Amino acid sequence: MLYHAKVAAIAGRLRASGLAPDAIVGIQLPNTVECVLTLLAVLRAGLIAAPLPTLWRRADCVAALSRVGAKALITASRIGAADHGA
């Protein structure tokens, strides 16, 4: 599957999730191609991306996402030894 098709598929899932246009979505992923594809998909879905450092833990993420009124967070289940999915 080409990258633009993957971006379109992710954007479709985001739209289907019921997020309103211009909703803020946190993204906490390592620097990989999946992070770039997710960022592009969030933008294609008409949402606003709020990238977060992977070193931030729950309290840091909650504080930042609360301040900007984020409606969702996209992260990996694990990044190194940290359990981000929890």
Side-chain angles (χ1 to χ4, degrees):
M1 185 182 285
L2 297 173
Y3 290 131
H4 68 276
K6 291 181 182 184
V7 169
I10 297 168
R13 291 279 303 235
L14 289 168
R15 281 189 218 103
S17 72
L19 292 168
D22 292 333
I24 298 173
V25 177
I27 301 174
Q28 188 181 37
L29 295 170
N31 294 330
T32 61
V33 69
E34 289 83 7
C35 181
V36 174
L37 295 175
T38 301
L39 175 61
L40 293 171
V42 166
L43 297 174
R44 181 177 283 184
L47 305 169
I48 299 169
L52 301 171
T54 56
L55 293 177
W56 281 12
R57 298 300 177 246
R58 182 184 304 222
D60 300 318
C61 292
V62 168
L65 295 173
S66 294
R67 276 194 298 274
V68 297
K71 300 299 180 191
L73 172 65
I74 300 171
T75 189
S77 62
R78 297 195 76 74
I79 300 175
D83 184 8
H84 286 262

